[in-house]
Amino acid sequence: MEKKVFERPVIKKLSAGMPAKFGLQVRHEPVTQIDGVPIKTLMEEYGSPLFVYSEKKIRQTYKEACRAFSSRYPNVLFAWSYKTNYLNAVCNVFHQEGAWAEVVSGFEYQKALVNGVSGDQIIFNGPDKSKEELELAVQNRSLIHIDHFDELYDLIEIGENSNIKPKVAIRVNMDTGIYPAWDRFGFNYENGEAWDALHRIMHADNLELLGLHTHIGTYIMGTEPYKIAASKLAELAIGLSSKFDHQLQYIDIGGGFASKNTLKGVYYPGTDTAPSFEDYADAITSVLIKANFRHNKLPLLILETGRALIDDAGYLAGTVIATKRLANGQRATILDAGVNLLFTSFWYDHDIRPAKPMSDQTEETAFFGPLCMNIDVIRKNMMYPLLKKGDPYVIQRVGAYNNTQWLQFITLRPNVVMIDEKGETHLIRKKETLQTLNKMESVPDHLKI
Amino acid sequence: MKLKKNLAISETGFVFDPSTGDSYTLNTTGLEIIQMLREGKNPEIITRKMTKTYDVDANTFERYYYDFIGMLKQMQLVAPDEE
Amino acid sequence: MKNNKLTIAISGLNNVDSPGPGIPVIRGIRESKLFESRIIGLAYENLEPGPYMHEFVDKTYKVPYPSEGVEQVMERIEYIHELESVDVIIPNFDSEIYAFIRLADRLNRMGIRTFLPTLKQFEERHKSNLPQFGKTHGVKVPQSVAVTSFEEIEDLKRDEKIGFPLMVKGKFYDAYKAQNLEQAFIYFNRISARWGLPVVIQEFIKGTEVNVVALGDGNGQTIGAVPMRKQYITDKGKAWGGITLDEPSMLDFARHLISSTKWRGGIELELIRTPDNELYMIEINPRLPAWVYLAVAAGQNLPEAMVLLATGNDVLPFTDYEIGKMFIRYSFDMICDLSEFEKLSTLGEL
Ligand SMILES: Cc1ncc(COP(=O)(O)O)c(C=O)c1O
């Protein structure tokens, strides 16, 4: 007889709540496990605080995004935005799923190579590419997205001295109706600069112009800006086709999809407001499909989605250090993870959950991190169950930008683990020790004591 | 380990503790375990039965089992003299 | 239309001392002589009274909060629709209304009708947008500023933008009158903890609060409107008794606003009448309020009209209502079986 799938036994107390006025949930439901692994066990084994990634969730989200686009458009490709999260294990999950790499520095470029990404599947973006880095990228036949004229001339020069034609695209910035418009990267659409750059490239025989790129911003809450961006890029591509009879191979629409985190000071939680992949896909692909590409030949659509693909898969588990009363009587809860680990708390109201069942009793509390610094505030004020010293907590949706922007400041950075699809836990980044840091330093002899 | 005597446990996985007025829900495996506990089965028998029906080995099951018992204790659903 | 039986799914069944509009809306629908109805309750919590009120709610399904994800809500509705073949959904919580406005097209494709404001209408009436809203639509509104820190309130006072007393309001709910900075500080903290930021600081307008419930057809026409004054207000700021008024200026106000915004759906206007008889609008709620049954009793069955509009029927505007009709709210201990609580909480259906 086939055995049934085992689910961990659970008992849950039924709370007799009432929806808050306006239909918002008031309870902070505890999150006691991640993919079946109890948070308690994780912290016993790997310490507190601890970053935890769910491989299952990454793959699931990636597949969802892929499906949304490929069900509407014949030719779609995702390139993993390294800066969003360049833990190698995380990158490799995306690469296994079929994503290319999108990098914005020589360091990230090297990381992608070491991860085993083939050079011709790396997109090299950003304003900072040294001549040597460009030469390497040309040798590797990577896609180089040109940010400014200085870089363009560097590439023309490299092309002249090499037997390989640099494969290039330009980054275009534009007004898509969002404020502020990111106009410091790439060439501007509205003032004709982008068209000038394309001209220059078309007249250089030793560059191979393959595509157009834009990245209109991050955490874009609407789909309209994407329609505008897609139609402006399509227009440039069609312009090239009619003027130079040159067919571009791809259009890269960048990243920027909102994750389900809640921005500070907005009306509704991100879970309610973030458009779905379907919404974004619908907006972008419908514009491209309707555009008048020559012979109806649709270019490859590249996406560099970052936060929306990884935010949900990352958790930060930790322990309450202490609770205290502030001078004005307000309760404060001090967590062992602060803005040093959770850079995103500067713009998100993070979803902090107790990691064990709590009673329905709540009080107002602020959440502070462990740093001896006034800026170390995770949440200023929220109604929350009564936590005490030693209680475990979990912050959800921390997968994007935290493990790349975290600071080694005042204290050391903790372990990072990944739970695989079978529920096994793997250490994917060891916590720092004093040695890790001291190894890089040296004290001149006369300063030794 | 014995369950509190007067607990009302239904087929749907609903548990009512008449002495406190609290109610609880169980998932399927939780319900099966509770029913066996109620019948006075010991952990060995429970483990044997569960590992036979479900795709889980004894060690893994035990880990979850004691975690579950811990929850029952925390919720005070266990007969007091047994703690 | 007659002999037609409509299946209508309705939320806001928290018929407690500060009730949601669900049950009052259902009462109106139940009284329709134009169609019969099967009422499907949509409940979030096990103790909402509505699911147990079998004379009003035929069957209840638990649904996930919109904040758990719009797709989860949609999945649940698809499940319910398969079993019940829902004709119309009437969401009654503000946060749901936002989600359902965004789902309206998908629901429509499934054959489920809604009658909701547009996203633009819904967004432009947020408390923090009131000054702009007043300008656009030519109505008087109190000065309102959305703040994200207490220091901004101090600045408002110093720059004499808004003086004391002032109102401290949550973005969704809650309002307190603060006489001085100390009180404002306490309320700012209380509200931001409960509802998050921003907190809205509003000029205090002296006068009498009066309300209008109305229904707009989406083309600028007012299908019905009934003005009311709360006669008794609980310590929670809820009407415990109210009376319909003979007040053409309030009706004009409502008609003007609905025509200027082309409002679609139910709406509640919270107005202050100042001692020199001017009307200030302090809030717009984008749905029918819990006291809507007073309008039904006074001769304007707005919930019924809303269902008719949702299902594509022409509805003639109401021209009249009974003046001096009163409501007195009361609470009542309904006796229920544990088995029903069990069903709702374990199976999610009752
Ligand atoms: C060029 C480029 N592509 C992709 C991304 C990823 O953006 P997001 O995380 O908003 O999807 C970024 C981030 O800033 C970027 O600069």
Side-chain angles (χ1 to χ4, degrees):
Chain A
M1 195 187 73
E2 181 108 15
K3 285 190 179 182
K4 290 196 262 185
V5 177
F6 177 73
E7 188 186 76
R8 184 171 78 84
V10 279
I11 179 161
K12 222 175 98 190
K13 186 167 161 188
L14 282 171
S15 61
M18 207 46 73
K21 271 290 161 201
F22 288 68
L24 292 178
Q25 189 168 22
V26 281
R27 269 195 308 281
H28 300 274
E29 290 285 353
V31 172
T32 57
Q33 47 89 26
I34 299 167
D35 289 356
V37 185
I39 283 160
K40 207 169 110 220
T41 322
L42 285 170
M43 290 206 286
E44 277 164 10
E45 204 162 326
Y46 297 99
S48 168
L50 173 70
F51 278 96
V52 184
Y53 283 88
S54 158
E55 181 181 340
K56 189 160 112 192
K57 186 76 197 173
I58 303 177
R59 292 189 190 272
Q60 200 182 322
T61 312
Y62 185 85
K63 289 199 170 86
E64 216 177 280
C66 271
R67 208 176 313 120
F69 280 89
S70 50
S71 63
R72 294 175 166 80
Y73 196 84
N75 206 356
V76 181
L77 177 81
F78 281 82
W80 175 239
S81 154
Y82 264 50
K83 75 158 94 52
T84 309
N85 188 317
Y86 46 57
L87 291 166
N88 295 332
V90 168
C91 294
N92 282 0
V93 177
F94 285 110
H95 297 321
Q96 279 186 355
E97 289 289 334
W100 290 15
E102 184 270 326
V103 302
V104 291
S105 68
F107 158 70
E108 287 187 357
Y109 189 92
Q110 289 295 340
K111 230 171 181 302
L113 284 181
V114 172
N115 279 338
V117 181
S118 121
D120 60 0
Q121 302 195 349
I122 300 178
I123 294 174
F124 199 175
N125 279 326
D128 171 22
K129 309 181 187 93
S130 72
K131 194 85 176 276
E132 294 70 41
E133 287 159 358
L134 285 173
E135 275 162 358
L136 178 65
V138 169
Q139 287 303 316
N140 284 331
R141 296 173 165 77
S142 304
L143 304 178
I144 301 169
H145 290 179
I146 305 171
D147 188 76
H148 42 71
F149 277 108
D150 288 334
E151 184 183 338
L152 173 53
Y153 287 106
D154 274 351
L155 281 164
I156 291 177
E157 199 184 311
I158 293 170
E160 277 165 1
N161 299 323
S162 155
N163 50 356
I164 300 170
K165 265 192 178 185
K167 300 195 323 189
V168 303
I170 61 161
R171 170 145 174 187
V172 181
N173 70 63
M174 58 181 77
D175 177 10
T176 56
I178 49 174
Y179 180 83
W182 285 19
D183 61 0
R184 50 173 284 203
F185 303 109
F187 304 90
N188 186 258
Y189 172 85
E190 283 79 19
N191 70 11
E193 193 186 19
W195 187 243
D196 290 347
L198 291 172
H199 257 245
R200 185 67 194 87
I201 296 172
M202 289 314 300
H203 289 294
D205 328 318
N206 50 16
L207 293 183
E208 191 182 356
L209 179 64
L210 293 185
L212 292 169
H213 171 230
T214 188
H215 172 72
I216 58 177
T218 192
Y219 206 96
I220 311 290
M221 305 257 276
T223 55
E224 202 54 36
Y226 282 101
K227 288 192 191 164
I228 297 173
S231 76
K232 286 183 174 173
L233 290 191
E235 200 177 302
L236 284 178
I238 291 163
L240 277 173
S241 155
S242 46
K243 173 138 194 208
F244 297 99
D245 195 25
H246 181 75
Q247 317 308 330
L248 288 181
Q249 292 181 13
Y250 68 87
I251 281 185
D252 179 343
I253 214 82
F257 299 163
S259 79
K260 294 192 174 61
N261 259 308
T262 303
L263 284 181
K264 281 189 192 300
V266 301
Y267 266 82
Y268 290 96
T271 44
D272 293 22
T273 50
S276 63
F277 288 124
E278 306 272 329
D279 295 334
Y280 289 119
D282 211 57
I284 295 168
T285 59
S286 64
V287 167
L288 293 183
I289 287 169
K290 278 189 222 126
N292 287 315
F293 288 107
R294 172 93 57 99
H295 317 305
N296 286 330
K297 212 174 157 308
L298 291 170
L300 167 70
L301 170 61
I302 300 181
L303 295 142
E304 301 170 352
T305 310
R307 72 175 76 238
L309 284 178
I310 190 66
D311 231 3
D312 277 8
Y315 300 79
L316 177 54
T319 312
V320 172
I321 295 177
T323 65
K324 63 203 276 186
R325 289 237 166 248
L326 302 179
N328 66 16
Q330 196 198 0
R331 167 74 59 188
T333 306
I334 304 170
L335 309 176
D336 60 355
V339 294
N340 53 325
L341 302 183
L342 211 57
F343 203 80
T344 49
S345 53
F346 289 121
W347 55 85
Y348 288 150
D349 274 341
H350 273 294
D351 186 2
I352 307 172
R353 299 294 183 92
K356 65 172 197 195
M358 308 284 297
S359 77
D360 288 339
Q361 184 79 22
T362 56
E363 65 180 344
E364 286 174 34
T365 184
F367 284 98
F368 296 135
L371 305 182
C372 196
M373 290 286 288
N374 214 26
I375 53 159
D376 194 13
V377 183
I378 302 292
R379 291 292 298 264
K380 260 209 180 119
N381 197 2
M382 67 195 284
M383 290 300 290
Y384 211 79
L386 319 177
L387 292 173
K388 58 179 190 308
K389 179 179 166 58
D391 280 345
Y393 66 87
V394 184
I395 304 177
Q396 309 201 92
R397 299 198 178 90
V398 303
Y401 296 103
N402 284 309
N403 292 123
T404 47
Q405 288 184 283
W406 52 356
L407 306 171
Q408 189 279 302
F409 177 51
I410 298 186
T411 177
L412 301 163
R413 288 176 285 198
N415 279 328
V416 182
V417 299
M418 181 181 280
I419 301 171
D420 70 20
E421 291 183 289
K422 293 200 197 80
E424 301 292 333
T425 308
H426 307 265
L427 183 63
I428 62 168
R429 191 185 193 273
K430 265 214 293 259
K431 66 176 173 209
E432 292 166 343
T433 63
L434 183 59
Q435 284 81 12
T436 325
L437 297 162
N438 273 355
K439 240 184 4 216
M440 295 184 282
E441 293 192 35
S442 55
V443 179
D445 278 341
H446 71 283
L447 294 180
K448 291 203 168 119
I449 42 176
Chain B
M1 226 260 349
K2 270 207 184 93
L3 291 176
K4 251 188 191 169
K5 274 225 169 53
N6 52 358
L7 287 187
I9 302 164
S10 83
E11 290 300 311
T12 56
F14 179 82
V15 178
F16 175 64
D17 179 350
S19 53
T20 61
D22 284 331
S23 32
Y24 306 84
T25 54
L26 293 160
N27 63 352
T28 328
T29 46
L31 177 62
E32 281 182 48
I33 294 172
I34 281 246
Q35 280 165 340
M36 287 190 266
L37 285 173
R38 145 136 319 162
E39 291 159 13
K41 298 219 162 69
N42 64 31
E44 290 72 46
I45 300 183
I46 295 178
T47 306
R48 209 174 319 130
K49 270 207 81 167
M50 293 297 284
T51 49
K52 220 169 114 191
T53 346
Y54 290 96
D55 184 18
V56 63
D57 63 74
N59 278 337
T60 314
F61 174 74
E62 227 160 76
R63 201 170 90 207
Y64 291 124
Y65 174 77
Y66 285 108
D67 186 53
F68 181 66
I69 299 296
M71 284 198 277
L72 296 181
K73 283 186 179 152
Q74 201 179 11
M75 290 164 173
Q76 304 186 338
L77 299 175
V78 172
D81 49 314
E82 284 288 326
E83 281 195 43
Chain C
M1 199 68 229
K2 239 192 193 130
N3 299 330
N4 200 351
K5 184 155 180 170
L6 293 173
T7 301
I8 304 170
I10 294 183
S11 69
L13 306 180
N14 52 333
N15 207 52
V16 291
D17 60 348
S18 154
I23 295 294
V25 166
I26 294 171
R27 283 179 78 188
I29 290 173
R30 279 288 203 227
E31 287 177 16
S32 173
K33 296 198 171 60
L34 297 172
F35 57 87
E36 279 184 64
S37 55
R38 173 169 165 79
I39 301 293
I40 305 298
L42 304 176
Y44 290 103
E45 300 279 354
N46 302 323
L47 271 196
E48 287 182 56
Y52 305 90
M53 302 171 74
H54 302 304
E55 68 278 35
F56 294 118
V57 182
D58 295 305
K59 168 98 192 193
T60 299
Y61 294 87
K62 287 263 289 285
V63 286
Y65 281 100
S67 54
E68 281 165 45
V70 172
E71 288 311 313
Q72 276 78 343
V73 173
M74 200 60 197
E75 229 169 76
R76 186 67 177 157
I77 290 173
E78 278 164 8
Y79 168 82
I80 297 169
H81 188 51
E82 206 156 282
L83 296 172
E84 302 285 352
S85 197
V86 176
D87 297 299
V88 180
I89 288 190
I90 305 179
N92 283 308
F93 286 118
D94 288 30
S95 72
E96 282 177 323
I97 290 176
Y98 179 84
F100 277 96
I101 290 172
R102 294 180 55 211
L103 289 174
D105 280 344
R106 284 167 72 182
L107 292 170
N108 204 17
R109 267 178 260 144
M110 288 160 61
I112 303 178
R113 313 290 166 219
T114 53
F115 202 71
L116 298 168
T118 63
L119 200 54
K120 178 170 169 286
Q121 291 168 344
F122 183 81
E123 299 260 299
E124 76 170 348
R125 49 101 238 162
H126 277 313
K127 270 175 235 174
S128 46
N129 300 344
L130 265 194
Q132 182 55 44
F133 184 90
K135 226 183 271 163
T136 312
H137 299 292
V139 293
K140 287 204 177 68
V141 296
Q143 171 70 324
S144 311
V145 180
V147 300
T148 54
S149 72
F150 177 68
E151 289 69 40
E152 291 174 61
I153 306 181
E154 294 176 314
D155 293 347
L156 288 175
K157 181 186 150 93
R158 199 193 42 238
D159 305 343
E160 294 178 0
K161 288 238 177 66
I162 297 182
F164 284 95
L166 49 73
M167 298 300 295
V168 185
K169 294 187 163 189
K171 58 185 174 186
F172 298 119
Y173 191 64
D174 264 0
Y176 298 96
K177 181 168 157 192
Q179 298 289 355
N180 50 44
L181 270 179
E182 288 69 41
Q183 285 184 0
F185 180 72
I186 294 170
Y187 297 141
F188 175 84
N189 281 335
R190 185 179 299 173
I191 288 176
S192 64
R194 199 146 293 169
W195 304 107
L197 296 169
V199 166
V200 178
I201 302 300
Q202 208 171 64
E203 174 191 0
F204 176 75
I205 308 280
K206 222 171 137 195
T208 322
E209 186 182 332
V210 285
N211 303 63
V212 184
V213 57
L215 178 66
D217 73 351
N219 299 317
Q221 182 172 229
T222 300
I223 297 296
V226 176
M228 177 275 278
R229 189 188 141 190
K230 296 173 182 174
Q231 288 175 300
Y232 178 78
I233 298 177
T234 67
D235 52 2
K236 286 188 181 159
K238 281 279 134 184
W240 208 253
I243 185 161
T244 58
L245 303 176
D246 177 14
E247 185 48 75
S249 67
M250 286 170 71
L251 289 179
D252 288 345
F253 191 104
R255 287 198 193 106
H256 164 75
L257 200 74
I258 286 176
S259 123
S260 173
T261 56
K262 296 205 163 36
W263 189 268
R264 186 167 186 271
I267 188 170
E268 179 191 28
L269 307 179
E270 294 185 16
L271 309 171
I272 301 280
R273 190 179 17 233
T274 63
D276 33 5
N277 241 339
E278 284 187 312
L279 288 171
Y280 276 79
M281 192 180 71
I282 54 170
E283 227 166 291
I284 296 185
N285 295 315
R287 51 171 168 76
L288 296 172
W291 59 273
V292 64
Y293 191 73
L294 177 66
V296 178
Q300 298 198 1
N301 193 338
L302 300 179
E304 175 193 46
M306 186 150 114
V307 169
L308 291 173
L309 287 169
T311 47
N313 293 282
D314 284 333
V315 178
L316 286 179
F318 293 100
T319 50
D320 210 5
Y321 60 90
E322 211 176 309
I323 290 154
K325 201 83 172 169
M326 283 175 59
F327 80 88
I328 303 171
R329 202 164 267 168
Y330 72 112
S331 66
F332 178 91
D333 295 350
M334 192 173 27
I335 302 304
C336 307
D337 255 358
L338 181 63
S339 66
E340 296 208 321
F341 177 72
E342 173 187 336
K343 260 191 216 138
L344 188 61
S345 50
T346 56
L347 305 177
E349 295 179 20
L350 176 60

